[in-house]
Amino acid sequence: MGMQIPSSVTAELPSISKRSLVNPFAEVAPKEWWYAGCHDPESGTYFSFFFFRMPLLDAARVSVFDPASGGVREFGWKGAFQAGEENGRLRIEIAEKGLGMVYRRVDDKNWHFTMKGRGWEVDLEIKQTLPAFERREDRRGVPSGIVHWLGNAVSGQVLTHGASYRYRAARGYCDHSWGPVPRRVGWHWIAVQSQTMCLVSLVNTGTGAQLYTQVLVRPVPCSVDEPRWTRLDPQAVFGEVPVGSPETTWTAVSTDLELEVRIRQGSGFRERIPPLIPFLVNIDHQESFVSAKGRVRLDGIWHDTGEMFGVMEVHRGTW
């Protein structure tokens, strides 16, 4: 008998094997995305990529946030990518003239991401070091869920338009989300971490909104304790202030969380389909490289988080 593949690995496989032909005006439609990012303390940069599947098209995006250079290097793509499995594990591929991108599971603990073309050359190995967090549910009778991994070690190189970034065990994050999503929706989402703590919070608005906040505290060296995710009060409130400007400060607050979030560098995009009268897609999406610090309450006791780094997204619109 072969080794059993962990549920977190199988949960990463596509739930939508190909783009769905559904009514674009339906109140709810299946959507799916894979996101990965890493912060490198040595260079002070944050690198990310995502693949996204909706009923009408697929999309991908790659970004390097580099506050020291004063700019965000990014690339966006729309079309139809191939998403499936290879030996029971995830494989996503874009293969067209002048561009190749592959994101795949190598084994139960490792991923590999490569990209070549359009001024980019990327080769990154992603290694899992902490247990995954999984959440699954039935929404409107359709399976949905999220699985995410923090504390990953990311190594490799990113070359883009004359800039070179080399990562050596940078702190990484990756996830997979799937399920029915309302046509009109918005969210605030943050995933940050340090050597000692990992924290994720999502506040989703719209029909069937998702709400969750989790924290993982790494055991001290030589401890016999296993790292575990602890669920906090999911009703976090994100402070509403202008988005994406350097040095902008947000807050994320609940009965178990008091967090101050500072945007180090932000990048946003708008999608309008059709462009003049966008009745199919009309969204504003903001991704920001952030630092965060504050305190969390675990078992009734407040703990300082120290400074953590990662990503925050703000999304709103119709799609």
Side-chain angles (χ1 to χ4, degrees):
M1 180 181 293
M3 183 178 296
Q4 184 177 4
I5 297 176
S7 64
S8 59
V9 175
T10 58
E12 194 178 27
L13 295 174
S15 67
I16 308 171
S17 60
K18 59 181 64 176
R19 288 184 294 121
S20 307
L21 295 177
V22 301
N23 177 4
F25 301 103
E27 175 62 26
V28 175
K31 292 163 188 172
E32 185 165 21
W33 53 97
W34 296 262
Y35 178 95
C38 66
H39 168 243
D40 178 39
E42 185 176 335
S43 66
T45 63
Y46 182 84
F47 172 79
S48 71
F49 64 88
F50 69 75
F51 294 89
F52 182 67
R53 173 154 283 178
M54 349 180 233
L56 293 176
L57 80 163
D58 298 333
R61 196 169 189 87
V62 177
S63 304
V64 176
F65 297 84
D66 184 1
S69 75
V72 178
R73 295 174 171 88
E74 53 196 338
F75 168 76
W77 174 94
K78 293 190 291 291
F81 57 66
Q82 299 296 315
E85 63 178 84
E86 184 177 67
N87 299 320
R89 295 175 174 86
L90 173 72
R91 181 183 175 91
I92 300 174
E93 183 172 8
I94 296 171
E96 60 184 38
K97 185 176 181 180
L99 178 66
M101 297 173 70
V102 177
Y103 178 45
R104 65 187 181 94
R105 260 286 187 174
V106 179
D107 54 38
D108 293 351
K109 296 287 187 180
N110 296 278
W111 299 261
H112 190 205
F113 175 67
T114 58
M115 175 181 179
K116 189 167 186 178
R118 313 291 169 88
W120 290 77
E121 188 168 349
V122 183
D123 191 335
L124 293 176
E125 299 284 349
I126 305 170
K127 181 177 180 61
Q128 178 186 347
T129 68
L130 294 173
F133 171 84
E134 295 181 64
R135 173 172 171 161
R136 304 175 191 234
E137 57 188 337
D138 270 1
R139 303 174 64 193
R140 299 172 178 257
V142 179
S144 66
I146 182 169
V147 54
H148 62 224
W149 299 261
L150 282 97
N152 302 325
V154 181
S155 299
Q157 190 168 13
V158 176
L159 303 173
T160 174
H161 300 287
S164 176
Y165 303 90
R166 180 165 292 279
Y167 298 110
R168 300 175 182 85
R171 291 190 198 104
Y173 168 92
C174 55
D175 69 27
H176 173 218
S177 301
W178 70 96
V181 177
R183 178 164 156 73
R184 182 167 183 82
V185 71
W187 65 72
H188 293 75
W189 168 71
I190 186 170
V192 290
Q193 57 188 316
S194 67
Q195 284 186 321
T196 58
M197 184 175 291
C198 305
L199 186 145
V200 182
S201 182
L202 171 68
V203 175
N204 216 325
T205 60
T207 307
Q210 292 178 301
L211 301 169
Y212 65 80
T213 301
Q214 288 93 230
V215 64
L216 182 148
V217 179
R218 292 175 182 263
V220 298
C222 302
S223 171
V224 296
D225 295 333
E226 292 290 328
R228 64 182 178 87
W229 286 100
T230 300
R231 186 173 183 178
L232 305 182
D233 180 359
Q235 299 285 345
V237 176
F238 282 77
E240 292 288 343
V241 296
V243 181
S245 301
E247 307 303 321
T248 294
T249 299
W250 286 67
T251 57
V253 179
S254 74
T255 59
D256 294 326
L257 176 68
E258 294 177 359
L259 203 64
E260 183 178 272
V261 182
R262 184 163 68 90
I263 293 179
R264 298 294 182 115
Q265 198 171 38
S267 174
F269 65 87
R270 302 176 123 192
E271 193 67 67
R272 306 290 190 259
I273 303 176
L276 295 179
I277 306 176
F279 57 88
L280 291 175
V281 176
N282 187 352
I283 61 172
D284 293 280
H285 184 90
Q286 183 79 26
E287 179 185 4
S288 298
F289 166 39
V290 300
S291 60
K293 60 182 179 180
R295 60 179 191 159
V296 297
R297 187 168 64 171
L298 300 171
D299 299 322
I301 300 173
W302 287 96
H303 301 264
D304 289 337
T305 66
E307 191 168 36
M308 303 177 288
F309 294 88
V311 60
M312 184 173 75
E313 287 185 354
V314 179
H315 176 100
R316 60 175 63 88
T318 302
W319 47 312

